[in-house]
């Protein structure tokens, strides 16, 4: 019996010595990569009807069995391009840069033993990513109950026959980690009266202006979510990069919309970004943090797309009686607009659209999206495409005074032909203050390309500060001869 037990114990020891839970490599050697097999596919943002970015190498990517040979044939590129799938089942192919082409093209992607993927009706032009919250998401047509459509929406939809404008609308998707693929991909659609009503209005009018002025195909990728925060769209590494923004990691599902709705696009070759967001952040404390947050978003996106200082054009929030109480002296939204304006100061290749003249005091989603989209396009035409078009309204430069009279001067070239909309009387949104720091409404008149103010009699002289449209919901009417509105400003940094 004792011998039998000893034999059983010896067998158990031998068996345990031979058994291994996992394969290990000899000491001093790196682990062996086990090839990954993935079903053959092409990235799900790359589809028929899309626009390929002109004048830059275009990346085509996807998945397949490890060490597979992938052949990409673009109808405009000549010889086929080959790529080899990596050990983790990913492949990328680079199509050489090509000029704009409005003739329908195709791409075939194949690998031995699999069905060829073919993308048809492709154009070569400029691709812009249009992102933000509800005012970017609002369509050309009605979206009950929150949006009644843009101004003259029925006529705009009927006239939207622009087959060289293509759109891809990303579906809402909050994710904890950056995605390589969309979980629920959309299709690229061709702009026509049957599709235009559902397109982002701001993005559509932006694309239409670029297309008609430049005569090249335009692709818009709309990635916008109602009621979303700037930090939710900012990638985690960008938030962590600065003490000014690191505290926003973990707030408002930080980075979740970047992860689900921007990260799958970062391999795309694009022209630039447009951005319409801010309403969710407008009461943040301190409000000045928004400048750092928006700059972090811009820097983070540029880093992730790895295409240099991609242009970034954004929209300052419109006038709105936020509390509905009709208090025309409140100015917390003006202070938020100021933080938005400051984004430009530290950010190359950025520009801001002013919307003080096209707001609706009782509506957070104003119908004047055509003006917003076209003003974004003017920024792009001037700054990105080097077209000789005005893109900026009157911008404050300085003031001088003599007695109770104050003269406002503007940045050179921005106030040419200073006037009011339809020649109406100036809406009196100028205020002046003396040493008591109490602002009193001044009387304003146009004098050439300057504004002349008369301070009220009870103002302690000299005037030490001037403000223009620095309240929550001033619907203004001062503009230059290009129809671009004067920017709000203040010359002080007081808390009142």
């Amino acid at each position: 019996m004792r011998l039998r037990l000893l034999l059983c114990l010896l067998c158990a020891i031998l068996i345990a010595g031979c058994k291994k839970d996992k394969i290990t490599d000899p000491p001093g050697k790196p682990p062996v990569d086990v090839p990954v097999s993935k079903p053959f596919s092409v990235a799900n943002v790359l589809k028929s009807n899309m626009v390929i970015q002109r004048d830059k190498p275009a990346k085509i990517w996807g998945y397949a069995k490890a060490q597979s040979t992938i052949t990409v044939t673009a109808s405009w590129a000549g010889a086929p391009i080959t790529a080899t799938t990596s050990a983790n089942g990913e492949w990328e192919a680079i199509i050489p840069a090509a000029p704009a082409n409005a003739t329908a093209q195709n791409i075939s992607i194949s690998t031995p033993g699999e069905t060829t993927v073919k993308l048809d009706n492709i154009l070569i032009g400029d691709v812009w990513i249009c992102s933000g919250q509800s005012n970017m998401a609002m369509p050309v047509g009605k979206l009950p109950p929150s949006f009644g459509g843009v101004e003259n929406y029925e006529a705009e939809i009927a006239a939207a026959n622009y087959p060289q404008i293509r759109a891809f609308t990303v579906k809402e998707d909050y994710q904890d980690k950056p995605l390589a693929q969309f979980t629920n991909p959309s299709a690229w659609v061709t702009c026509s009266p049957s599709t235009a009503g559902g397109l982002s209005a701001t993005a559509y009018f932006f694309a239409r202006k670029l297309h008609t002025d430049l005569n090249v195909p335009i692709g818009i990728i709309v990635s916008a979510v109602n009621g979303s925060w700037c930090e939710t769209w900012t990638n985690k590494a960008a938030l962590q990069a600065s003490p000014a923004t690191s505290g926003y990691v973990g707030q408002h599902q930080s980075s979740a919309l970047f992860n689900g709705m921007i990260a799958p696009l970062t391999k795309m070759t694009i022209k630039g970004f447009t951005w319409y967001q801010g309403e969710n952040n407008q009461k943040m404390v301190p409000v000045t943090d928004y400048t750092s947050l928006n700059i972090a978003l811009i820097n983070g996106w540029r880093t992730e797309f790895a295409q240099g200082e991609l242009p970034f054009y954004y929209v300052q929030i419109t006038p709105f009686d936020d509390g509905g109480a009709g208090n025309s002296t409140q100015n917390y939204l003006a202070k938020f607009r100021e933080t938005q304006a400051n984004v430009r100061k530290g950010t190359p290749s950025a520009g801001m659209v002013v919307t003080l003249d096209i707001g609706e005091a009782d509506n957070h989603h104003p119908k004047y999206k055509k003006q917003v989209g076209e003003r974004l396009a003017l920024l792009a035409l001037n700054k990105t495409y080097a077209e000789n078009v005005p893109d900026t309204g009157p911008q404050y430069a300085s003031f001088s005074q003599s007695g109770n009279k104050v003269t406002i001067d503007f940045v050179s070239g921005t106030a040419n032909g200073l006037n009011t909309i339809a020649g109406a009387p100036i809406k009196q949104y100028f205020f002046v203050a003396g040493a008591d720091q109490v602002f009193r409404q001044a009387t304003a008149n146009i004098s050439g390309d300057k504004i002349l103010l008369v301070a009220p009699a009870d103002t302690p002289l000299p005037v030490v500060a001037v403000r223009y449209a620095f309240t929550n919901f001033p619907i203004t009417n001062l503009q230059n001869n290009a129809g671009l509105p004067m920017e709000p400003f203040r010359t002080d940094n007081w808390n009142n």
Side-chain angles (χ1 to χ4, degrees):
M1 177 66 71
R2 185 177 296 172
L3 180 61
R4 185 179 297 172
L5 288 173
L6 288 172
L7 289 171
C8 289
L9 181 60
L10 181 60
C11 288
I13 292 170
L14 289 171
I15 291 170
C18 295
K19 182 179 179 182
K20 291 187 178 182
D21 293 327
K22 61 182 180 180
I23 298 173
T24 58
D25 296 299
K29 290 190 176 183
V32 176
D33 286 332
V34 178
V36 176
S37 290
K38 293 184 179 179
F40 173 57
S41 64
V42 177
N44 58 19
V45 68
L46 306 175
K47 294 176 178 287
S48 293
N49 305 315
M50 70 180 295
V51 174
I52 294 284
Q53 178 60 47
R54 63 169 168 158
D55 302 329
K56 293 183 181 182
K59 185 177 292 185
I60 306 296
W61 72 99
Y63 306 90
K65 186 186 301 182
Q67 307 306 315
S68 298
T69 298
I70 309 296
T71 301
V72 176
T73 305
S75 58
W76 68 91
I81 299 155
T82 59
T84 301
T85 309
S86 66
N88 63 1
E90 299 178 355
W91 59 266
E92 293 180 1
I94 306 296
I95 302 174
N101 192 333
T103 301
Q105 305 292 321
N106 62 73
I107 302 175
S108 295
I109 306 105
S110 62
T111 191
E114 301 285 355
T115 302
T116 297
V117 174
K118 190 170 184 181
L119 311 180
D120 295 312
N121 194 27
I122 292 171
L123 304 182
I124 304 174
D126 288 334
V127 180
W128 289 81
I129 293 176
C130 307
S131 188
Q133 60 180 108
S134 55
N135 274 309
M136 180 61 84
M138 292 296 108
V140 176
K142 287 186 175 182
L143 185 65
S146 61
F147 189 60
V150 302
E151 188 179 26
N152 302 319
Y153 73 91
E154 291 177 325
E156 293 288 2
I157 291 171
N161 186 26
Y162 295 96
Q164 292 183 40
I165 296 176
R166 309 291 174 82
F168 182 96
T169 303
V170 181
K171 295 175 183 175
E172 182 176 327
D173 193 7
Y174 291 78
Q175 292 287 334
D176 292 334
K177 301 291 183 183
L179 298 183
Q181 291 264 61
F182 290 117
T183 56
N184 187 15
S186 301
W188 281 84
V189 299
T190 299
C191 179
S192 69
S194 65
T195 62
L199 300 181
S200 159
T202 297
Y204 164 68
F205 289 115
F206 169 75
R208 189 177 77 177
K209 176 71 173 170
L210 291 186
H211 169 58
T212 55
D213 279 33
L214 299 171
N215 195 29
V216 298
I218 299 293
I220 46 175
I221 299 175
V222 180
S223 189
V225 173
N226 296 349
S228 54
W229 301 76
C230 184
E231 52 267 43
T232 318
W233 289 100
T234 309
N235 62 302
K236 187 175 181 180
L239 289 174
Q240 292 175 324
S242 167
T245 56
S246 59
Y248 288 90
V249 175
Q251 293 197 26
H252 302 123
Q253 295 179 272
S254 63
S255 307
L257 290 176
F258 170 85
N259 294 339
M261 299 179 65
I262 299 295
L265 300 170
T266 54
K267 289 187 178 182
M268 286 201 74
T269 309
I270 64 170
K271 190 69 173 180
F273 306 102
T274 65
W275 175 250
Y276 197 167
Q277 191 276 337
E279 293 85 355
N280 262 50
N281 290 87
Q282 67 191 22
K283 292 182 181 179
M284 65 190 298
V285 179
V287 70
T288 51
D289 275 7
Y290 187 82
T291 302
S292 299
L293 270 177
N294 207 176
I295 291 174
L297 179 145
I298 296 168
N299 291 339
W301 286 16
R302 287 174 172 173
T303 297
E304 293 297 317
F305 279 81
Q307 295 170 52
E309 290 179 348
L310 288 167
F312 190 98
Y313 302 125
Y314 63 96
V315 183
Q316 192 178 52
I317 62 170
T318 57
F320 177 60
D321 184 5
D322 191 40
N327 185 344
S328 62
T329 66
Q330 289 184 332
N331 63 10
Y332 58 87
L333 296 187
K335 291 177 179 177
F336 181 77
R337 291 187 195 102
E338 186 175 62
T339 71
Q340 290 184 297
N342 288 339
V343 169
R344 299 170 297 184
K345 294 180 180 179
T347 311
S349 302
M352 185 185 76
V353 164
V354 175
T355 61
L356 287 187
D357 60 328
I358 50 174
E360 296 176 88
D362 60 350
N363 185 2
H364 228 163
H365 303 128
K367 61 186 176 181
Y368 304 109
K369 297 292 186 286
K370 176 182 177 180
Q371 293 88 333
V372 176
E374 291 188 346
R375 289 173 189 178
L376 285 167
L378 288 175
L379 286 170
L381 288 168
N382 185 305
K383 300 181 187 305
T384 301
Y385 297 100
E387 297 283 319
N388 186 23
V389 296
D391 66 344
T392 304
Q395 292 180 324
Y396 169 82
S398 63
F399 78 87
S400 57
Q401 82 173 91
S402 176
N404 69 337
K405 294 180 173 58
V406 175
T407 300
I408 306 293
D409 288 290
F410 297 93
V411 173
S412 178
T414 65
N416 292 343
L418 193 61
N419 68 93
T420 60
I421 297 171
I426 295 176
K427 293 185 178 180
Q428 298 291 328
Y429 290 123
F430 287 91
F431 290 79
V432 296
D436 61 354
Q437 297 191 8
V438 174
F439 282 93
R440 298 168 176 85
Q441 188 175 42
T443 302
N445 287 286
I446 296 171
S447 177
D449 294 344
K450 303 177 188 293
I451 292 289
L452 301 184
L453 305 179
V454 178
D458 58 344
T459 304
L461 300 177
V463 168
V464 297
V466 180
R467 292 180 176 182
Y468 169 67
F470 203 77
T471 53
N472 282 3
F473 54 96
I475 309 296
T476 65
N477 68 348
L478 275 168
Q479 60 182 13
N480 60 17
N481 57 10
L484 297 173
M486 184 183 298
E487 289 196 20
F489 69 85
R490 62 170 172 167
T491 65
D492 65 279
N493 59 0
W494 305 333
N495 290 326
N496 58 331

